[in-house]
Amino acid sequence: QEGKHGVEGSATLFYMVHCGKALYNNLLWKNWSAGALSKMVIVGNSFKGMEERLLSRILERDYSYIAKVLKGTEEVALPTHPRYLDTFNDTSIHWFPLHKLKELSPEVWDFVEEPTYQDCDDLEIIRKEDGTDGHSPAAAES
């Protein structure tokens, strides 16, 4: 499902160490509401690190849900181990406090188009090729 998992109203922990940016972006898209995001905790690659390493225009174009939620995210880096500096060195715990999400501008929540990654040069996921149109049932219904 390329990261498109909903929290279904329950508090949910997503363990996504070493996943590509598109998987995080898809997960955020699938749960794009203050209520759903506030029930999520993600252990995975640092969103701050993504923001620092990518040009802002690329982050906003290719990974717009990550870009839009940055100001509504709390992030704490996990400690690094001196023996394994090149492994798990960018791992953080992310959560989305409801009060911070409510401070985001209302326009942030208006755009809920499913990500397509057509112009993305560094796509880090293998797209499912099953003959479907690629839209989730939830997006088709809205």
Side-chain angles (χ1 to χ4, degrees):
Q1 287 195 354
E2 301 168 347
K4 299 171 186 167
H5 297 281
V7 296
E8 309 298 330
S10 300
T12 306
L13 172 69
F14 292 93
Y15 184 76
M16 299 176 65
V17 177
H18 291 303
C19 289
K21 293 177 285 298
L23 289 178
Y24 296 100
N25 200 57
N26 286 349
L27 178 66
L28 294 169
W29 164 75
K30 184 68 175 182
N31 295 285
W32 198 244
S33 72
L37 291 174
S38 67
K39 291 180 171 68
M40 292 174 45
V41 173
I42 300 172
V43 177
N45 301 349
S46 169
F47 286 9
K48 289 178 187 171
M50 292 177 201
E51 180 183 29
E52 291 169 2
R53 286 187 295 276
L54 282 174
L55 294 172
S56 60
R57 66 178 173 81
I58 301 293
L59 183 65
E60 291 167 12
R61 182 193 72 196
D62 295 341
Y63 310 108
S64 62
Y65 293 94
I66 295 170
K68 290 189 283 190
V69 83
L70 285 169
K71 290 185 175 130
T73 306
E74 290 287 334
E75 176 177 331
V76 174
L78 292 180
T80 57
H81 189 283
R83 186 171 171 194
Y84 304 106
L85 289 175
D86 59 339
T87 309
F88 305 113
N89 63 343
D90 194 36
T91 305
S92 293
I93 300 172
H94 307 81
W95 67 98
F96 311 91
L98 189 57
H99 73 276
K100 286 187 87 167
L101 295 171
K102 288 184 174 184
E103 291 173 3
L104 299 177
S105 71
E107 296 82 39
V108 164
W109 306 106
D110 290 344
F111 184 80
V112 291
E113 186 174 313
E114 182 174 3
T116 60
Y117 309 107
Q118 292 179 353
D119 298 321
C120 185
D121 294 330
D122 66 340
L123 191 61
E124 302 165 307
I125 61 173
I126 298 171
R127 302 299 303 268
K128 184 178 178 182
E129 301 289 335
D130 64 354
T132 65
D133 65 0
H135 295 291
S136 75
E141 292 170 6
S142 54

